[in-house]
Amino acid sequence: MHMEKLIEKASVLMESLPYIKNFYGKTIVIKYGGHAMVDDELKKNFALDVILMKYIGINPVIVHGGGPQIGETLKRMGKVSEFVNGMRVTDKDTMSIVEMVLVGKVNKEIVGLIHQNGGKAVGLSGRDGQLIRAKKHYVSKPGPADQRPEIIDIGMVGTVEAVNVEVLNHVGNGGFIPVIAPVGEGADGKAYNINADFVAGAIAAKLQAAKMVLLTDIQGVQGADGNLITSLTLPRIDEMIAEGVIHGGMIPKVEACRIALDGGVNKVHIIDGRVLHSVLLEIFTDHGIGTQIVREARS
């Protein structure tokens, strides 16, 4: 029985060999968020996963979220979070708290976790080395049929205008794993809060990553029947949004995938971060997990 288990382990290693060879020296961008950032066992295993990737010659780049942590901190400080179309209204005081939580707390915790488990990481925000140039984002809210949409100013919320990959190349070439907080800097020198999915998509495109992986708290993209869809194309995603099948919080995730794919990334994946070693299962096994998205169906 003991020998059978050893042989099974060897078989797993052999299954992963073609994938290790294929991704050696390439970049994989991972959006780290959801329950995987909260559960202690998942946190440790995520750190081990990216450390393993780095040791076998793959270059992982981590972009993390932190919405729940921001919400908890704001609540403790007596500030009520207000959202418009799923985006947090961010005044000057709120932005200071957002930056404190994302850059000063969440980012450092992830870097520390990687160090504790034998890896090397460098924490960055988009303001370091002008990594992420941001521009102000306005929300468009549909008005009556005979009127133009209402344009709403939600404060210090931004979108990615440009990415300076020189910073990431220096960090990665030095043997470190970049861990990026989704805070950008505008031309006015001010900090802007940016959706972490969009930051991951923009960075993956700029780095010409081999893959982008988004960790979520669901299996992946679900069909109208509630079942997981294992593979999708961008045209089909457009149809599913129009049909209302893809809605709510899944829309920014698939739009982030569109940014990456339009920028030259080969494949993107939306997977369940609640599964132990979900990143490794997606990258190094024949079947993978979650939903794979490509630009168009291959003939």
Side-chain angles (χ1 to χ4, degrees):
M1 191 68 176
H2 177 65
M3 182 60 70
E4 289 178 0
K5 288 184 177 180
L6 291 176
I7 293 171
E8 184 179 349
K9 287 183 178 180
S11 298
V12 170
L13 289 172
M14 291 308 297
E15 181 182 339
S16 67
L17 181 59
Y19 300 99
I20 294 173
K21 182 179 178 182
N22 186 44
F23 293 117
Y24 182 83
K26 296 180 181 177
T27 297
I28 295 178
V29 174
I30 304 165
K31 165 25 191 3
Y32 181 43
H35 200 67
M37 288 181 65
V38 179
D39 181 272
D40 286 340
E41 185 179 14
L42 292 173
K43 284 161 62 176
K44 179 178 179 179
N45 280 279
F46 174 78
L48 292 171
D49 289 354
V50 295
I51 290 167
L52 173 62
M53 291 168 66
K54 189 67 175 177
Y55 273 124
I56 61 176
I58 297 170
N59 300 312
V61 174
I62 301 168
V63 178
H64 65 82
Q69 294 90 332
I70 293 169
E72 289 172 9
T73 303
L74 288 170
K75 187 176 179 181
R76 286 199 303 269
M77 299 181 76
K79 289 185 70 69
V80 178
S81 295
E82 181 184 351
F83 292 87
V84 176
N85 287 5
M87 295 190 173
R88 191 187 307 273
V89 177
T90 308
D91 58 21
K92 185 177 179 181
D93 290 341
T94 300
M95 186 63 228
S96 295
I97 296 168
V98 167
E99 194 166 15
M100 176 187 73
V101 173
L102 288 178
V103 181
K105 185 175 185 292
V106 177
N107 187 274
K108 303 313 174 192
E109 287 178 355
I110 298 168
V111 170
L113 197 61
I114 292 172
H115 289 166
Q116 290 163 26
N117 287 281
K120 297 195 301 180
V122 170
L124 300 164
S125 85
R127 303 185 77 183
D128 294 320
Q130 295 185 320
L131 173 59
I132 301 171
R133 173 60 63 87
K135 62 179 179 180
K136 188 176 176 67
H137 177 72
Y138 293 91
V139 172
S140 177
K141 190 174 183 180
D146 59 343
Q147 296 182 18
R148 293 179 179 179
E150 180 184 1
I151 304 300
I152 303 173
D153 185 342
I154 55 175
M156 308 303 291
V157 176
T159 58
V160 179
E161 187 172 40
V163 177
N164 176 14
V165 295
E166 183 181 359
V167 179
L168 299 178
N169 290 335
H170 278 302
V171 171
N173 292 339
F176 293 88
I177 298 168
V179 179
I180 303 163
V183 175
E185 184 171 280
D188 54 8
K190 295 178 181 178
Y192 287 87
N193 183 20
I194 309 176
N195 180 291
D197 295 324
F198 292 150
V199 171
I203 288 176
K206 190 68 176 180
L207 288 172
Q208 290 293 283
K211 279 182 184 285
M212 180 178 76
V213 180
L214 303 183
L215 298 185
T216 67
D217 283 344
I218 59 174
Q219 285 182 297
V221 180
Q222 298 173 343
D225 58 2
N227 292 326
L228 174 70
I229 301 175
T230 57
S231 186
L232 281 171
T233 63
L234 288 181
R236 179 56 188 145
I237 281 174
D238 290 334
E239 294 171 356
M240 292 175 70
I241 292 174
E243 294 163 1
V245 177
I246 292 178
H247 61 277
M250 185 55 70
I251 290 179
K253 295 190 183 301
V254 296
E255 291 301 333
C257 293
R258 185 191 309 278
I259 291 169
L261 291 167
D262 284 346
V265 178
N266 292 328
K267 292 180 182 179
V268 298
H269 305 265
I270 299 175
I271 67 174
D272 192 344
R274 300 169 300 178
V275 176
L276 281 175
H277 302 298
S278 56
V279 175
L280 297 187
L281 290 172
E282 180 54 60
I283 295 171
F284 296 127
T285 63
D286 290 339
H287 299 290
I289 61 174
T291 302
Q292 169 187 283
I293 304 174
V294 295
R295 279 189 54 80
E296 297 175 350
R298 293 176 179 174
S299 56

